[in-house]
Amino acid sequence: MKHHQLLFIGNFQRQPEYNFIRALCPGIRLLPCTDLTQLPESLEVSIITSIRWLETLSKSDRERLTQTAQTCSQWIGISDTGLKRDAMLHWLESGVNHLLPAEFEQPLCRLLIHDQPASETQPATVLLIAESKQATRKYAKLLQKHNIFSVAVTRNSNIDASLHNATSDLIVAIDGFGVNQIKILKSQPNGIAVPVICLTDNSPDAVCLPDSYAHIPIAHAESLLPATLRKFQQEKIQQTDAPDSKYLNVIQRLTQVLGQHAIISTADRAGKITYINDNFRCLSGYTESDLIGQSHGFVKSGHHSTQFYKSLWQTLKNGKVWHGVICNRNKSQQLYWTYSRILPLQSSNGNIRQYICISSDISSTQHNLSLLQQFDQLVTNYQDHTGLAPWVLDIKRQKICWSMLAASVLGVKNADLPLSSRQLLDMVHPDDRTHIKEALRAAMTSGSQFDAEFRITPDHGRERWFCAKGLPICDSDGKPVHIQGILEDIHVKKIAEEKITRSLHLFRQMFNTSDYCMAISDHLGTIVFINPAYTRVMGYTPAEVIGRNCREFFCSDAVIATELIDTLLSEKKNWKGTTRRRRKDGSEFISLNLAGPIHNESGTITHLYTTFTDITQELNNQQELTRAKATAEEANRAKSEFLSRMSHELRTPMNAVLGFAQLLQKNPQLPPELHQDVRDILKAGNHLLQLINDLLDLSKIESGRISLAFEQVSLNHLIAECTALLRPTAQTRHIGLQSENIQEYRLITDRLRLKQVILNLLTNAINYSPQGEEIKIIPSASDSGRVRVEFIDNGPGIPASHFDELFIPFKRLDQTSAQVEGSGIGLTISQELIELMGGQVGVSSQPGRGSVFWFELPAEPDRHLTRQNQTPHLAQKNDNQFDKI
């Protein structure tokens, strides 16, 4: 027997009758298995499983069992509870070859026996039924001579078991006993379709035989029965060898299983239609003669792409079941839709022999689905373009249903589930819940329109503004049962409105609190708005101004005002200038004005604005300041002229005094007691002469009469020259002078004036350094192309609060200044000279740690430098500078 092993896997609702199966199919081995982990890797068996047990398996166990079943001869499923059509198709697609009912033993045995391949060497089986063994033995020998296998059933046999388990191709009733037993056998499922031959002396009518029974007189049985059985066997072999017989049985079985609603067709391996059922004919409008031999492309609608059909056939050629929706065209050229499953049937060698297509008509569903899809697309487009999402409130159930867009913007996780009004209120901002409740209550009780703006805080926590509007839908009694509405996300608009509101508030604050008078008029000049400052300055109330033309408030400049308005309208630019205005009391003032146009969205001028302020007092103050400045400059020039003349007048007699003092000093006849007096005269005279020279320099600088002679100067040589001049003075106080001339620096500057500055700064350092200390002169270059010279001493230092007082003429704030000779204008002159040469002077110091005075000069002078041609105004400097000399 082909299926030599049966593997029962899992649990069954009813314990299988293994003994019955062994009795009917003695050559089959039965193997029970309750654990999937015990399955062998390769199974040359037929497996049997309970569908109910299969449904309890996990997904991974189902996949494992399905993979195992692919290596088996066949997979038989037992339906304990009965399956619907879709469930049957599901398990068939999953790999189950046969589905049997809960009482599966007899159908299983019949399936196993009938699935054996027929051939000429395997004769048909004949069941002989007679009352005595002698009768059955006689005909058994007769049939054996003609190579026909038979099974005998007699009265002494276990008739019930024999008839129940009998599996044969033909039944022969030898006598009346046999006829009666056949009636019992034909009531069994395995005997309904088996043909019957009766051997009897009586006529068929006498024994009440059905018309389907064949009748052979017993007198001619020995000659007719073998011939009849041989012909029956040949027809059986031919029918069994027919290539499509197996598949026709499958079709018939599927037709019985699926009932009268399935649309079934078959095609050969080339795709040519070989069978259609009545449902197919009714739906397509074609007859069998129209379709048999044609491909399914005969009813193709053109709705699907070429790739669609390529994918379909590729799935079938791979031996897999294809399922999906297909649109075809009937004989009347109308489209119809089916949901189809196409099963490829394979022969024992694995080749596809035939295709079975099982379909359901879904034309009406598909049409409705198409309309729904079009409507959904329309709603989606409407929502996308307008941002409006529909919602419905069931007043009785207090449930709210949302569209997908509304659920998305609200942050609702599952839009398919209704949302209770309480859940919605929990999402609403606490400050907005009261007016939401009141609006809902009014809509549900009085039927008024629902309209509310509120804030929602979704799961992600970001607050957004929404606007919900709805209309109550009432029942036949006029009582609201639903509220249908739309939801709009107005967050962007609300934020913009809030920004505009804040901007307007700020504008009103600025407009109302500004000290500048502001007025807005239309494009003709008619005033439409003024601010409080306008009222205070002009003396008019808003009612007295608004509606009047702005030209009326100018003095004699009405023509100018008209020209100004025309200019603003034509050039569309702002204007700034002064005009004369008249107050309500008749007084006039000069105003500084700023006027300009105001445009609308299209760029058209709709209004004009004017801001102005009274500058009469400022103009008077400016005139007074100008006069005071002119007076001060005249006084400064007079002072400078006086200093210059006085310096010249003092210098001439001072030179005479110094000259006579020098003669006395060189006179050898001068008494010794007078030598100190002469030295005091020379010292005081030189000091006074230096003061006169400084005053002359200061006078030249202030009057702008000083001139600079630029030339190339070696800074190192100039520092060395100044050091040599002052070294004797420093040595008298045991002070060292150290100059770090590591690198040669060359400048284009005035050599004489630079030497004067170096001598002034170096003299200050010597005068204020304690005895025995050392002064450093350090030149250096910066990345900006400037040269810096620092004079570092170890004097008492200067507080930072006095830095601003260092360069005031004649200002000597140091506590030791009384002990140090000097004019008090050396630093002032040094600063002015350095600045005239394009540089700057500075200081850094701390009390008790000495001071660092420095100046910086450009390596090359600025060609555009004109400072030497300008008059410095020392009187304008802060009176907070300090000179050590």
Side-chain angles (χ1 to χ4, degrees), residues 843-860:
V843 62
S844 61
S845 179
Q846 290 184 3
R849 295 188 179 183
S851 303
V852 178
F853 282 82
W854 55 267
F855 67 82
E856 282 187 353
L857 286 173
E860 293 186 2

Side-chain angles (χ1 to χ4, degrees), residues 324-425:
V325 177
I326 299 179
C327 178
N328 289 326
R329 190 180 300 276
N330 63 18
K331 193 171 184 178
S332 301
Q333 300 304 305
Q334 294 178 345
L335 300 180
Y336 65 91
W337 298 79
T338 62
Y339 180 77
S340 303
R341 288 182 174 88
I342 304 177
L343 296 80
L345 299 180
Q346 299 175 341
S347 61
S348 59
N349 58 7
N351 294 328
I352 296 176
R353 298 290 301 276
Q354 200 166 15
Y355 300 98
I356 299 178
C357 178
I358 306 167
S359 307
S360 298
D361 183 9
I362 60 170
S363 298
S364 59
T365 303
Q366 191 68 21
H367 178 71
N368 295 336
L369 180 62
S370 177
L371 292 177
L372 287 175
Q373 290 175 344
Q374 295 178 19
F375 179 75
D376 288 344
Q377 186 62 45
L378 178 63
V379 172
T380 301
N381 294 338
Y382 178 76
Q383 293 177 359
D384 293 341
H385 286 85
T386 63
L388 303 178
W391 56 271
V392 177
L393 169 64
D394 187 333
I395 296 177
K396 182 178 180 180
R397 297 174 58 239
Q398 288 295 297
K399 296 290 184 180
I400 303 175
C401 295
W402 306 95
S403 69
M404 293 301 294
L405 177 62
S408 175
V409 297
L410 286 175
V412 179
K413 294 182 178 179
N414 193 344
D416 296 333
L417 297 178
L419 190 69
S420 67
S421 56
R422 171 55 58 187
Q423 290 174 310
L424 174 62
L425 287 175

Side-chain angles (χ1 to χ4, degrees), residues 717-729 737 759 762:
H717 292 169
L718 191 59
I719 292 175
E721 183 179 338
C722 295
T723 304
L725 287 175
L726 296 177
R727 184 168 279 113
T729 304
L737 301 179
L759 289 174
L762 191 55

Side-chain angles (χ1 to χ4, degrees), residues 823-843:
S823 61
I825 58 176
L827 282 178
T828 305
I829 294 173
S830 298
Q831 183 187 43
E832 291 295 330
L833 291 175
I834 289 295
E835 290 180 354
L836 283 171
M837 290 184 287
Q840 62 182 23
V841 176
V843 62

Side-chain angles (χ1 to χ4, degrees), residues 722-723 725-726 754-764:
C722 295
T723 304
L725 287 175
L726 296 177
L754 180 59
K755 181 178 179 180
Q756 182 180 353
V757 171
I758 294 175
L759 289 174
N760 277 339
L761 296 178
L762 191 55
T763 299
N764 278 356

Side-chain angles (χ1 to χ4, degrees), residues 389-522:
W391 56 271
V392 177
L393 169 64
D394 187 333
I395 296 177
K396 182 178 180 180
R397 297 174 58 239
Q398 288 295 297
K399 296 290 184 180
I400 303 175
C401 295
W402 306 95
S403 69
M404 293 301 294
L405 177 62
S408 175
V409 297
L410 286 175
V412 179
K413 294 182 178 179
N414 193 344
D416 296 333
L417 297 178
L419 190 69
S420 67
S421 56
R422 171 55 58 187
Q423 290 174 310
L424 174 62
L425 287 175
D426 290 342
M427 297 168 59
V428 174
H429 192 280
D431 296 343
D432 301 333
R433 292 174 184 172
T434 301
H435 77 268
I436 284 285
K437 291 179 181 178
E438 293 175 352
L440 281 174
R441 187 179 299 110
M444 290 186 294
T445 55
S446 63
S448 60
Q449 180 177 346
F450 174 77
D451 190 348
E453 293 183 356
F454 52 91
R455 288 163 290 177
I456 287 288
T457 305
D459 294 339
H460 49 69
R462 298 184 61 183
E463 183 181 287
R464 294 191 70 84
W465 277 96
F466 294 91
C467 175
K469 297 182 179 181
L471 289 174
I473 306 300
C474 302
D475 56 14
S476 57
D477 298 329
K479 182 179 180 181
V481 292
H482 294 90
I483 299 178
Q484 298 179 356
I486 56 173
L487 178 73
E488 181 181 6
D489 186 345
I490 60 170
H491 188 72
V492 175
K493 184 175 88 172
K494 199 71 176 180
I495 295 301
E497 290 178 354
E498 291 177 354
K499 289 182 178 179
I500 293 174
T501 302
R502 288 195 297 269
S503 299
L504 289 175
H505 177 69
L506 291 175
F507 175 77
R508 289 192 182 97
Q509 279 190 317
M510 181 271 293
F511 201 81
N512 294 329
T513 60
S514 175
D515 291 333
Y516 281 84
C517 303
M518 298 183 184
I520 297 177
S521 62
D522 61 17

Side-chain angles (χ1 to χ4, degrees), residues 627-680:
R627 289 193 295 268
K629 180 180 178 183
T631 302
E633 290 177 350
E634 182 64 27
N636 189 55
R637 283 194 296 270
K639 180 200 70 173
S640 298
E641 185 67 22
F642 171 77
L643 288 175
S644 177
R645 290 182 179 181
M646 288 299 298
S647 297
H648 281 288
E649 295 295 332
L650 291 174
R651 191 172 185 179
T652 301
M654 185 54 60
N655 285 330
V657 172
L658 290 175
F660 282 111
Q662 290 173 353
L663 291 175
L664 288 174
Q665 189 180 31
K666 294 179 179 180
N667 186 1
Q669 299 179 0
L670 184 70
E673 61 272 13
L674 297 178
H675 284 181
Q676 182 61 37
D677 295 335
V678 172
R679 286 195 295 270
D680 291 340

